[in-house]
Amino acid sequence: MRTLVRRSFLLRLGLLALLAAFVGVIFANAMWLRGVRVDLTSDHLYSLSPGTQKIIEGLHRPVHLTLYFSRHATRDLPQLRSYEQRVRELLQEMVSRSHGRLHLSVVDPVPYSDDEDRALGGGLTAMPGGSNGERVFFGLAGRTASGTELSIPFFDPGQEAFLEYNITRLVYELDAPSKPRIGILSTLPIDGSAISGTPPWAVMRQLHQLFDVHMLDPNDPSQINDKLSVLMIVHPKNLSDDELYAIDQYVMHGGHLAVFVDPDAEMDALPVGSLAGTVAGSSSDLPRLFRAWGVEFDPNRVVLDRSLSLSISLGGNSAPVRDFAVLGLGAQELNHRDVITASLQNIDVSSSGYFELVRHTNSRLFPLVQTSGEAMPVSADRVRDTADPTELYKDYRPTGEHYVIAARLRGQFQSAFPNRTGPHHLDRMREPGQVILVADTDLLSDRLWVRRTPFLGEQLLSAFANNGDFVANILDNLGGSSALLSVRGHAISQRPFTRVQGLRRAADVKFHNREKALEDELAATEQELAKLQPDKSGTAAPDNKVKQQLEKALKRKLSIRRQLREVQHQLDAEIDTLGTRVKAFNILLMPLLVMLFGMLYGWLRQRRSGKRDAT
């Protein structure tokens, strides 16, 4: 008996000790572990990328962010409210890592308020579709003490994979407000020609607005240096070893490079500088650098694609014909998992080439733009010498492969000049890097993406393809820091509730059938009433039969509307019941199972100890 009392006392003492330890852990967590977070989501949705952490922790000045979200106007939009929570929690995580440099405010801009005016003044976009017809604000405005202001006009749930990148880019640009310095080395007259009097191409007008653009002299390799945020090379031909070495070492030291080459540059017709071609449609290549980086490009092969071919005019009164070398690449051919092409819809190219990886290379090729499976490579001379595009139809045999027209090339590249020496020479990159490769230069020309319209003595430009946006996105992406380039895309946080979606689909079928029945009945009733209507003079009053038909139709209409509301109420009730079951399972059932397991375990131990005492 005394042994049982002692065990009971020790058991109570142990329970008290566990309770004290539990309270102590909670207190310690509240006091010393307040900023500690553990991301247990399967896709690490709430873990910041190393690049984001580097940018946030290295902020040079305080940055204030204001998240505008119309909470009251979205009370009937649960998906948008859920995404707002995702955005807010990500912003709070970034604030907690910023060592006090990043500040966050959350504002509900109600209609006709000062907050609404500030949201509009900050560059945010108000979208229709809120409750009671209210406008919905859901964007981010950022500012610094010096007055620099930038914004994300609206958070599109469809772009959630790039949520972290877009916010990090906003913070990075606020911290470094100067425009990226872009160096462009081109043998094409993309920036206009004083000799021929041709104006700059439309793509250059766009780039001058977005970046600090510097046209480089191909004869002065010293201009390719670390002062450039991005180096853009267009149609390189006949470059000297010194020029190639300057490009090589720029990449070896972590420089950001975008290269546009072409097996048949149709715009290479005007002499511009010492390196310009004199033969229309000549090719360009960087074979020595490409081989060192682990990529292949054949300047003598053009890729055709009959499923993506566009119609062109041959001039005169002839009808337009399809040209298998002029391709309209749509959403299916663009990589929507990459931030450069995620928001683009179509890119037009002409007589483009393609890239492949060298065998046994450690580099990796990530396509941005590629052909369909109906493509076929042919000789560039055949395309160049063919006056009638229909000649390309002959002997057309698709290979079934998707040819890469534009891509990111990633790897820890080796120098193409291993035998050179110097104080700053590198034989290999210290860290993995990347370059953007595009196998067409004609996509930069106006004819493939803009239409010019005369207006009051000026030329108005209207874009019918996303070529300009594609180039701007490349330079914008590369123009950030290396940390910004490393920010990865996240998985989607919205997980579908398949049971709920099934219930909704079933109810929608019922709803649609009832609605269709209502419309058919009303149409039949209106036809019958039209036959019974008095003459159009309006002198004769409707007879009792017409009135009875009208009353009957109205009553039936009200009856069916009540039935439709009942279907909707049944749907909501079924969803609520399913939600209650899920909550009951998570909140009650699992703890009860743990308690029952503990009680059973205690009973078994007590029973075994009783047997030992009896013996």
Side-chain angles (χ1 to χ4, degrees):
M1 184 66 180
R2 187 175 298 173
T3 302
L4 291 176
V5 172
R6 185 166 59 254
R7 286 181 177 174
S8 178
F9 173 76
L10 292 175
L11 180 60
R12 291 190 180 92
L13 186 62
L15 290 174
L16 288 174
L18 287 175
L19 179 61
F22 178 71
V23 173
V25 169
I26 294 177
F27 179 77
N29 178 69
M31 293 297 296
W32 299 298
L33 302 178
R34 184 176 300 174
V36 177
R37 295 172 173 84
V38 179
D39 187 357
L40 299 179
T41 58
S42 59
D43 299 309
H44 301 288
L45 293 173
Y46 300 96
S47 297
L48 299 180
S49 299
T52 297
Q53 295 181 32
K54 184 177 180 180
I55 290 174
I56 296 299
E57 294 172 358
L59 288 175
H60 300 92
R61 66 193 74 189
V63 175
H64 188 87
L65 302 176
T66 303
L67 175 63
Y68 289 94
F69 181 68
S70 302
R71 187 166 301 279
H72 184 266
T74 58
R75 57 188 180 275
D76 297 328
L77 303 173
Q79 183 177 6
L80 201 62
R81 293 173 71 91
S82 175
Y83 187 48
E84 184 273 336
Q85 181 180 355
R86 164 89 172 93
V87 173
R88 178 163 34 85
E89 289 175 346
L90 178 61
L91 288 169
Q92 290 170 347
E93 179 68 16
M94 296 173 73
V95 169
S96 67
R97 297 292 190 98
S98 66
H99 305 294
R101 292 282 187 176
L102 203 58
H103 306 275
L104 176 66
S105 300
V106 181
V107 175
D108 180 1
V110 298
Y112 310 110
S113 66
D114 293 340
D115 291 332
E116 183 183 53
D117 294 339
R118 279 189 285 268
L120 292 172
L124 271 67
T125 301
M127 303 295 290
S131 303
N132 298 327
E134 297 179 55
R135 297 188 302 174
V136 175
F137 287 90
F138 183 21
L140 185 68
R143 59 180 172 82
T144 63
S146 61
T148 304
E149 295 184 357
L150 294 172
S151 66
I152 298 176
F154 195 88
F155 285 111
D156 181 4
Q159 297 292 317
E160 182 182 357
F162 307 106
L163 173 63
E164 181 184 348
Y165 175 84
N166 291 331
I167 295 176
T168 305
R169 173 184 159 192
L170 175 73
V171 173
Y172 172 78
E173 292 179 350
L174 285 169
D175 191 50
S178 59
K179 292 182 179 180
R181 184 183 177 95
I182 308 298
I184 299 181
L185 191 156
S186 175
T187 62
L188 295 177
I190 61 176
D191 205 36
S193 171
I195 299 176
S196 61
T198 56
W201 294 4
V203 67
M204 288 302 299
R205 295 185 183 184
Q206 183 173 350
L207 296 184
H208 277 293
Q209 294 175 355
L210 299 173
F211 308 101
D212 180 15
V213 177
H214 294 261
M215 300 302 297
L216 305 184
D217 182 1
N219 297 314
D220 185 3
S222 65
Q223 292 183 313
I224 302 175
N225 50 49
D226 57 4
K227 295 180 180 179
L228 299 176
S229 299
V230 183
L231 173 61
M232 176 177 169
I233 300 179
V234 180
H235 201 45
K237 301 184 308 177
N238 306 321
L239 297 183
S240 67
D241 284 349
D242 289 340
E243 292 157 354
L244 291 175
Y245 180 69
I247 299 171
D248 173 86
Q249 289 301 296
Y250 176 78
V251 174
M252 291 301 104
H253 285 84
H256 303 145
L257 175 67
V259 179
F260 292 76
V261 290
D262 202 326
D264 181 20
E266 299 167 19
M267 301 303 295
D268 188 5
L270 298 175
V272 181
S274 60
L275 293 178
T278 57
V279 180
S282 61
S283 64
S284 55
D285 190 9
L286 289 176
R288 185 167 185 174
L289 298 182
F290 285 167
R291 283 195 301 268
W293 299 341
V295 69
E296 288 183 348
F297 173 77
D298 190 342
N300 299 312
R301 304 288 284 177
V302 169
V303 64
L304 310 179
D305 195 326
R306 65 184 180 187
S307 69
L308 302 175
S309 60
L310 298 177
S311 296
I312 65 170
S313 176
L314 298 180
N317 297 324
S318 59
V321 296
R322 293 175 63 195
D323 189 340
F324 286 7
V326 182
L327 310 181
L329 303 152
Q332 296 288 338
E333 292 73 45
L334 306 183
N335 181 3
H336 286 273
R337 294 190 299 272
D338 194 289
V339 68
I340 289 178
T341 47
S343 60
L344 306 184
Q345 297 301 318
N346 63 303
I347 295 174
D348 294 346
V349 300
S350 181
S351 58
S352 67
Y354 58 95
F355 297 100
E356 294 180 311
L357 284 176
V358 175
R359 289 185 178 182
H360 310 299
T361 182
N362 293 323
S363 300
R364 300 179 65 187
L365 196 67
F366 296 88
L368 297 174
V369 182
Q370 58 186 344
T371 67
S372 72
E374 294 290 310
M376 169 188 174
V378 298
S379 168
D381 289 336
R382 179 182 173 186
V383 176
R384 187 181 300 117
D385 298 336
T386 299
D388 184 1
T390 58
E391 293 293 323
L392 299 176
Y393 299 3
K394 297 179 180 179
D395 300 324
Y396 191 90
R397 296 184 181 87
T399 63
E401 297 185 21
H402 296 265
Y403 294 90
V404 178
I405 295 177
R408 287 185 191 268
L409 180 69
R410 287 176 173 163
Q412 196 162 359
F413 307 135
Q414 294 183 349
S415 173
F417 298 86
N419 297 325
R420 286 221 182 184
T421 59
H424 302 292
H425 173 81
L426 289 179
D427 284 335
R428 184 181 178 86
M429 300 181 71
R430 295 189 178 96
E431 296 180 354
Q434 62 179 307
V435 296
I436 303 294
L437 304 176
V438 183
D440 186 44
T441 60
D442 299 308
L443 68 85
L444 301 172
S445 64
D446 296 359
R447 67 186 182 90
L448 286 180
W449 72 282
V450 293
R451 186 178 295 108
R452 294 180 179 268
T453 305
F455 181 75
L456 298 178
E458 299 290 336
Q459 293 286 330
L460 296 182
L461 303 179
S462 58
F464 55 83
N466 296 128
N467 295 25
D469 297 327
F470 176 58
V471 178
N473 287 355
I474 289 175
L475 300 183
D476 190 36
N477 182 249
L478 293 178
S481 69
S482 58
L484 185 60
L485 286 175
S486 69
V487 176
R488 56 180 168 79
H490 275 286
I492 305 300
S493 64
Q494 299 291 337
R495 305 291 179 86
F497 290 92
T498 55
R499 285 286 304 280
V500 174
Q501 289 180 349
L503 291 173
R504 286 198 180 278
R505 282 193 294 267
D508 286 341
V509 171
K510 294 181 185 178
F511 190 86
H512 177 74
N513 291 338
R514 294 287 182 86
E515 187 178 38
K516 186 67 169 59
L518 172 62
E519 292 174 352
D520 292 343
E521 184 172 351
L522 286 178
T525 303
E526 289 173 355
Q527 290 179 1
E528 184 178 355
L529 290 175
K531 296 178 182 178
L532 298 175
Q533 286 289 345
D535 55 15
K536 297 183 179 180
S537 62
T539 57
D543 58 19
N544 293 332
K545 186 176 182 180
V546 174
K547 292 181 179 180
Q548 290 174 1
Q549 290 285 354
L550 180 59
E551 292 176 359
K552 183 178 179 180
L554 291 175
K555 289 180 180 179
R556 183 58 181 162
K557 179 179 178 180
L558 293 175
S559 174
I560 294 181
R561 282 186 171 179
R562 281 196 300 269
Q563 295 177 28
L564 292 174
R565 285 195 297 269
E566 290 175 1
V567 171
Q568 195 65 42
H569 290 328
Q570 291 173 5
L571 167 66
D572 294 337
E574 291 179 8
I575 293 175
D576 291 341
T577 302
L578 178 61
T580 303
R581 291 173 184 170
V582 173
K583 291 178 181 178
F585 180 81
N586 290 330
I587 298 174
L588 298 177
L589 184 58
M590 291 305 295
L592 284 175
L593 290 176
V594 173
M595 291 175 60
L596 289 174
F597 176 78
M599 294 173 63
L600 179 62
Y601 179 75
W603 178 74
L604 291 174
R605 287 199 58 183
Q606 186 176 7
R607 186 176 180 183
R608 285 197 297 268
S609 103
K611 287 181 179 180
R612 286 197 299 269
D613 293 339
T615 56

